[in-house]
Amino acid sequence: MDVLGDLAGGFGTVLEPQNLLFAAIGVLLGTFVGVLPGIGPALTIALLLPLTYNFSDPASAFIMFAGIYAGGMYGGSTTSILLNTPGESGSVATALEGNQMARRGRAGPALATAAIGSFVAGTIGIVALTFLAQPVADLAVRLQPADYFAVVVLAFVAVTSLVGRSVLRGLISLVIGLGIGLIGIDQLSGQARLTFGVDQLFAGVDIVVVAVGLFAVGEALYVASRLRSQGEEELVPVKGAAFLSREDARRSWRPWLRGTALGFPFGAMPTGGAEIPTFLSYALERRLARGRAREEFGEGAIEGVAGPEAANNAAFAGVLVPLLTIGIPTSATAAILIAAFQIFDLQPGPQLFENNEDLVWALIASLYVGNVMLLALNLPLIRLWVKVLEIPRPLLTAAILVFATLGVYSIAGSVAEVLIMYLVGVLGFALRRFDFPIAPVILGVILGPLAEAQFRRTLLVSDGDFGAFLERPFAAVVLVLALAALAGPVLLGRRRPALAEED
Amino acid sequence: MRGTARGTARPETSGRGRARGAVSARLAGVALLLAGILVVVAGTTVRSPTGYDASGPRLAPVAVGGLLVLLSVLLLVRTVVRPDTEHAELVAAMAQATHWPTPAALAVALVAYALLLEPLGFIVATTLFLPGASWLLGSRALLRDAAVGLGIGVVVFVAFTQYLGVYLPAGVTPIF
């Protein structure tokens, strides 16, 4: 078994005492930041990126990021359950039943089923990733520029037409992101584009600048604008320990597995995202509920927390498949992870598997370790995380702005980039006001240049013949799929239910 | 956060609120249209030895700008033909709930923070900004917030410059 040998090598790296310490720090910091209301995993990672700038060993940095990733995800579910403020789209379904459970004095079991469900789903998802990664990377090596272009287009279409309430507004968000992605020196010709004579824009607008601006500053301005009209949020106190009774465990394990089965495949497809599988899981559990559970649904059924939370975590493991093997991020969080790779001049994709095999396997092994640490550290620490939620909101929002500024300043070392980030924040505020989704902007920024490069490379090879995109069967099929995904909802005139989207 | 925002935003059902929402949404459409035109114009000025050749640098900005023009026109059309009343109501409710001076003041505070970062240094700038921004956001515990600002400033500065090797401006504070 080749895979197991590689994985064992990865564990060899991760289980060094120093790296274990980094994993633990990552899990604790990730959970701490993830618990803060309004901060999803994408912003968590973006804000914690500066910690690793000067790490000499990329493996240690990625081990820490695996912990931050796991912790950020877990922290988000705690906030959803106790405050009913999901920090990202994947936690919206969890909040539905989770907050109801907490209000009825069952916060402990809700948090426990979320934590253990995350662990179960995360572990199964990582096992699937372990065995899928190499074969998919082997396939990805054979992809031509035309194929890459087609896959990116499919990801674009999926994120705009499946997320949010309006395909049109989703597409506009995507195009705004594409525009931001174009800013700077063109890689192939060396020409400056859309810089409007501003020297600081020559290097382009970094994805971290965009994400921090949209999520942190946009959010803060939004909170500020509604200060006078928004009611107080209610923090539900946690009574008793985060513990599953035999009855709760019996009711939870099937939803965990079903949620995992939905979450991983959805996450692993180039269409990505955790929103669809979490809501599918919620709907499925609601339909399957019998007896007492059926009565409890809508008023705090544990199945409605266990399923979506498992789906959420499995989907995030799934998202790593296209990210690591093809180099295509399909969620905002994955886009920020690309930035983490870029700090070390690494580019995720099939080449990474060939050139930095040890690093990839250390990363995968650290996902297992991070998951175990999460369970071991967080159930006992639950009271500490609840304390974090008691930080006064004005102070918290102001502190997020400090850390947003700090993060961007330390990445760029210049005040100009910080001001650009604030400007992006104003854009984020406007998008939020007019109900334009945020995630397509982020994916547009990171995937736009990739799509353009592959598009131009294809046409350079084919001497300007657009037929090149249809000659490759793979590219042709994927492009047709993308067209169908875009045209389908429009032609059917179906209105999507009002789902909150963000991440 | 959005979930709560929608939950608390009570959509107006009156025709007037909807009409105002449509006007507001139209403004957004016009802004996007102008941005699209700007991108197209900026795109045509990109120096490209091969002109609009698809493999050159000029096609992408012109295409993206053109797409933005097309989509914003569609958005504008949608506010008149088969208008999205649900969206108009949401925008109207948002407009009603928006108190402009607060975000504007917060934006000014942010710009001041960024501009003072280097002359004053991270610690002093943060000690000033954190209580100021908290106050704008509704906190009235100035002293506590200033103490938190100083704490974050010192801890982050020492951790970043001494242990993580990341540069932060010392400004007027004596360098450690």
Side-chain angles (χ1 to χ4, degrees), chain B residues 28-171:
Chain B
V30 170
L32 287 166
L33 182 63
L34 292 177
I37 293 171
L38 182 71
V39 172
V40 172
V41 171
T44 55
T45 61
V46 171
R47 242 181 301 154
S48 171
T50 48
Y52 287 94
D53 184 55
S55 54
R58 205 183 271 176
L59 180 73
V62 173
V64 167
L67 211 53
L68 192 54
V69 169
L70 178 77
L71 292 170
S72 51
V73 167
L74 273 176
L75 191 74
L76 285 171
V77 168
R78 273 301 301 278
T79 60
V80 183
V81 183
R82 219 157 52 88
D84 186 347
T85 49
E86 201 188 327
H87 182 236
E89 278 168 12
L90 186 90
V91 170
M94 289 257 200
Q96 205 180 36
T98 300
H99 179 75
W100 282 106
T102 317
L106 190 63
V108 171
L110 276 170
V111 172
Y113 180 43
L115 294 180
L116 291 176
L117 208 54
E118 283 176 347
L120 290 184
F122 180 75
I123 297 177
V124 176
T126 304
T127 311
L128 293 175
F129 172 78
L130 196 78
S134 302
W135 192 83
L136 286 174
L137 289 161
S139 170
R140 290 295 172 265
L142 264 182
L143 216 59
R144 177 202 68 192
D145 296 347
V148 173
L150 181 66
I152 291 181
V154 171
V155 169
V156 167
F157 186 83
V158 172
F160 271 55
T161 54
Q162 303 299 303
Y163 297 101
L164 294 169
V166 178
Y167 167 80
L168 286 177

Side-chain angles (χ1 to χ4, degrees), chain A residues 352-368:
Chain A
L352 190 70
F353 269 81
E354 280 174 17
N355 305 335
N356 295 73
E357 217 193 346
D358 295 345
L359 182 68
V360 173
W361 287 106
L363 175 64
I364 292 176
S366 64
L367 291 170
Y368 287 94

Side-chain angles (χ1 to χ4, degrees), chain B residues 10-26 85 87-96:
Chain B
R10 214 150 276 140
E12 280 182 51
T13 40
S14 74
R16 236 183 69 213
R18 223 175 287 153
R20 243 193 342 209
V23 170
S24 193
R26 250 169 249 160
T85 49
H87 182 236
E89 278 168 12
L90 186 90
V91 170
M94 289 257 200
Q96 205 180 36

Side-chain angles (χ1 to χ4, degrees), chain A residues 215-228:
Chain A
F215 285 130
V217 178
E219 175 72 28
L221 291 174
Y222 182 75
V223 168
S225 75
R226 303 177 60 88
L227 213 54
R228 323 250 151 157

Side-chain angles (χ1 to χ4, degrees), chain A residues 150-162 269-271 469-470 473-489:
Chain A
V151 170
V152 174
V153 169
L154 179 62
F156 279 160
V157 168
V159 76
T160 50
S161 81
L162 301 178
M269 281 188 283
T271 55
F469 291 103
L470 300 174
F474 180 85
V477 168
V478 173
L479 282 176
V480 169
L481 269 180
L483 194 67
L486 186 64

Side-chain angles (χ1 to χ4, degrees), chain A residues 54 86 193 225 409 435 501, chain B residues 1-2 6 57 86 99 118 165:
Chain A
N54 286 314
R193 299 193 294 184
S225 75
Y409 184 84
D435 197 32
E501 89 297 308
Chain B
M1 284 309 291
R2 297 202 78 161
R6 289 232 177 84
E86 201 188 327
H99 179 75
E118 283 176 347

